Every structure is written in structure tokens, then in C-alpha cells.
Amino acid sequence: MNADAETTDLLRVTALGKRFGGMEVFRDISFGVPRGSLVSLVGPSGAGKTTLLHIIAGLETADSGTVSHFGGEGKKPQAILVFQDYVLFPNMTVFQNIAFGLKARKMSRDAIRDKVMPMLGYFHLEDRRDAYPSELSGGQKQRVAIARAMVLEPSLLLLDEPFANLDRNLKMETALFIRSTQRSFGITTICVTHDLQEALAMSDRIGVMLGGSLRQYAPPLDVYRRPVDMETARFLGPVNTITAPLARLLGLETCRLRPEALRLEPDPDGPAVITATHFAGHYLCYTLRVLDQDLVVYALEPMGQPGDRMHIRVSNQYPPIFSGSLPEDSCA
Ligand SMILES: Nc1ncnc2c1ncn2[C@@H]1O[C@H](COP(=O)(O)OP(=O)(O)OP(=O)(O)O)[C@@H](O)[C@H]1O
């Protein structure tokens, strides 16, 4: 960690390790969270994301290492954790839920109103102010939970799986809302999530937790386009391995490419055959067989059906994620 980080980081995690009984969850985790930034921790189930968030929140203790927090003034809390299942008070209205922490601080009724009303507006909850949690949609509950935390102006907001209970079509909308809220309020935020697309869209930095360590910690585009190893690359999305015969066919060096680096052109004499296709919403995903290898290619327009032959072009807009001699990795 350099001297600059000391002044810009709100939180610093150093050499953190955690075991539960005989099982090591993670070891030697170090990273800094710059003030005002949004960091997402991603990784497969069981990687230790929630455990790490709980240690940062002070709900769990680490076995080794330190968590240093350089924020929080006066009565403002240092960190607030918003739980995955929101934990709203069922017998309180939306207004009362958001006001709860302010009331606990013995703020006057008028001062509470002055703080809560703008929150209701910002979080699009004005017309639900007198509703009880059981009357709210998942997205509304989520917004109440975040508003209840933000109204206390914590120096650090911790979000545990904020998209877990939301419908697929609400996830990205919520991610972009969290991003704009976090920016408007300038609150440093750490989010733990399974939802990669949302994490990539909203974060300044992504931390990839794999195999008990923090494998990579970098801006989203860097993690996606310049992953540190194949396991990280594959965790972020499909990877095409361009071996020597295929490289000759495509006019490339041996390398690994993301699907978006390849383009399809229907061609009855083309070397590739579509073996599978699925509709992924805003794009189509094709699997092709060429020279005894499988390739994954995305397309915005329908290109063909299984059995159709294709010509494959390489887009120079997307440089390989690895080039030259292929790193050790048997799976294509
Ligand atoms: N209190 C506990 N006692 C014992 N083991 C625990 C405890 N909490 C978590 N674990 C174990 O620690 C490991 C990491 O759990 P954790 O919930 O942090 O992972 P995660 O990455 O957040 O997973 P998920 O994405 O599924 O929520 C898991 O194997 C889990 O079973």
C-alpha cells in the first residue's frame, strides 16, 4: 500500500485471514477502498464474501490481519450493513422505518421530517410513505432498506447481496440506482454480490474472491479484459482458446479471446458449424464447432440455426485477454 493510499482510502483491509473450525475460508486478503468509491466483491458461493463483509462491519472477527477505517465523524456511524433480506420493521410504515435510526438518536420530530422527506423523494417512495413492509414490492423494500441506512449518513455503506431477492429485470435497474445514489450522496460503498453483470455495471472496482484469496482487485473493464489468470477469466465470462490450427485459420497468434471479439458471417462454405444457440435477452449466444474445437460467439442479430455453416472474423476492437503461448489450462 503506498503513501497515497493512506490519504485516499476510507477503509484498508490488510492480510486478513479467517477460519471456521478446521476450515480456512480465506487468507491474506488485502485491499483499500478509496473514499467515495463503490467496490463490489464477487466470487462463487462459499468464497467467503459475506464473511469478509461481516468482518468489515464488525459482526465477525478475523483470525489474522486488520481492518482500518479512516472515516466517521461525531455521531455519524462508521459503517452500516444492509442485510440481504432487508430486515425492515414489519409493524412500522415506510416513513417510520426510514426515521427509526434518527429517532433513536433523539432527533426532534421536525428534524426527522426534514431528513426523511427528501429521502422518500429520492428513493421514489413518496406515495408509499404510509405503507407497511408487507405491502411493498421487493424493489421497494430494497430501497427502504438502503434509504434507512443512508439517512444516517454513514461513512461506509455495506450491501450484502442487494439483488438477491429481486426479479431479473429489476436487478440492473437497481444496480444503476444504487450507483447514482451512492454518487449523489458520496457514500463509500462495498457490495457483495453473485450478480456479475450488475457488479460490472455499477462498480469502480471489482474484487474477485476465488480459492480462498482475493485473486484480482481492479476496475471492471480491467478484470474482464485483463484477468490475472484463467480461473478469474472464466469466472467473469466465457473464454475462447485459439490454438495453433485455429489461429492459422483466423490469421492470428495463439491466444484467448472473449466471445465479443469474434464475428459471424453466414457462409455455406464457412469452416464453422453452429452446434447450439440461445437467446440471452439483448444478444444471442452461439456455440460453434470448428477444427475440432468449440467457440462461443455473441451476436446482436440472428445469424443462423444449429447445422448452419459460418465464416468467423476477428474484431480488432477486442484485444486477446491472453496472447502468445497459452497458459497451462487444459479446458478449451
Ligand atoms: N458461522 C459459521 N460457522 C461455520 N462456517 C461458516 C459460518 N459462516 C460461514 N461459514 C462457511 O464459510 C464459508 C464462506 O461462507 P460465506 O457465506 O462467507 O460465503 P459467500 O461467498 O458469501 O457465499 P454465498 O455467495 O453463497 O453467500 C462457507 O463454506 C460457509 O459454509
Side-chain angles (χ1 to χ4, degrees):
M1 207 62 68
N2 59 28
D4 252 8
E6 295 204 1
T7 53
T8 59
D9 286 346
L10 179 88
L11 185 92
R12 188 145 1 111
V13 169
T14 310
L16 216 61
K18 177 70 182 170
R19 307 181 74 87
F20 282 118
M23 185 193 72
E24 182 182 66
V25 182
F26 51 72
R27 67 193 162 279
D28 200 24
I29 291 206
S30 298
F31 62 98
V33 180
R35 280 170 210 280
S37 68
L38 195 167
V39 163
S40 290
L41 300 171
V42 299
S45 185
K49 306 179 294 294
T50 299
T51 303
L52 177 55
L53 201 68
H54 284 184
I55 293 172
I56 293 170
L59 298 178
E60 190 86 63
T61 52
D63 294 322
S64 51
T66 55
V67 176
S68 311
H69 195 134
F70 307 103
E73 324 145 359
K75 287 188 176 169
K76 289 180 185 172
Q78 288 210 323
I80 295 188
L81 173 65
V82 177
F83 289 92
Q84 172 172 343
D85 43 10
Y86 317 136
V87 207
L88 301 178
F89 302 112
N91 55 341
M92 290 187 192
T93 64
V94 166
F95 184 99
Q96 291 164 337
N97 262 283
I98 299 175
F100 180 81
L102 302 172
K103 208 170 163 192
R105 287 181 193 176
K106 312 250 180 294
M107 242 187 205
S108 74
R109 187 183 277 256
D110 285 350
I112 290 176
R113 218 188 117 78
D114 287 350
K115 288 233 175 234
V116 175
M117 291 313 284
M119 281 289 171
L120 288 172
Y122 193 87
F123 284 80
H124 312 302
L125 292 163
E126 290 120 317
D127 58 343
R128 307 301 287 147
R129 59 166 284 175
D130 297 322
Y132 288 89
S134 61
E135 300 167 325
L136 301 177
S137 69
Q140 288 168 338
K141 283 184 202 163
Q142 171 69 281
R143 296 206 297 277
V144 175
I146 296 177
R148 185 175 63 176
M150 280 200 174
V151 81
L152 298 175
E153 300 173 38
S155 67
L156 181 64
L157 182 67
L158 305 172
L159 302 175
D160 190 8
E161 296 285 358
F163 317 112
N165 299 315
L166 301 179
D167 289 345
R168 179 67 252 160
N169 58 0
L170 253 188
K171 290 185 184 209
M172 186 54 83
E173 191 184 315
T174 304
L176 299 177
F177 181 75
I178 288 174
R179 177 50 155 174
S180 69
T181 312
Q182 176 271 335
R183 274 208 174 125
S184 308
F185 288 75
I187 295 187
T188 312
T189 303
I190 304 177
C191 171
V192 154
T193 181
H194 278 104
D195 293 285
L196 267 180
Q197 300 306 323
E198 283 70 18
L200 291 170
M202 73 178 188
S203 311
D204 293 301
R205 280 174 173 262
I206 301 275
V208 184
M209 293 179 70
L210 280 173
S213 66
L214 183 65
R215 207 60 80 75
Q216 191 164 8
Y217 183 63
L221 207 59
D222 287 357
V223 178
Y224 187 75
R225 293 210 182 148
R226 285 188 283 280
V228 288
D229 56 29
M230 278 306 291
E231 201 183 353
T232 308
R234 289 190 194 286
F235 180 73
L236 272 286
V239 179
N240 289 307
T241 300
I242 310 297
T243 55
L246 199 47
R248 277 194 293 279
L249 181 80
L250 297 173
L252 294 172
E253 305 265 301
T254 54
C255 61
R256 313 245 190 206
L257 294 171
R258 290 286 186 201
E260 53 271 35
L262 298 173
R263 300 270 184 274
L264 297 181
E265 280 168 17
D267 178 353
D269 300 320
V273 178
I274 296 177
T275 53
T277 171
H278 73 261
F279 180 53
H282 48 289
Y283 66 95
L284 292 123
C285 180
Y286 290 94
T287 307
L288 297 105
R289 192 82 184 151
V290 52
L291 297 181
D292 288 335
Q293 255 194 269
D294 287 324
L295 292 180
V296 177
V297 183
Y298 299 152
L300 294 175
E301 308 288 337
M303 301 305 293
Q305 300 298 324
D308 289 352
R309 300 196 79 88
M310 298 281 138
H311 179 69
I312 296 179
R313 278 194 307 110
V314 181
S315 161
N316 53 16
Q317 280 183 316
Y318 300 96
I321 54 174
F322 299 108
S323 42
S325 62
L326 298 174
E328 263 321 287
D329 176 64
S330 51
C331 36

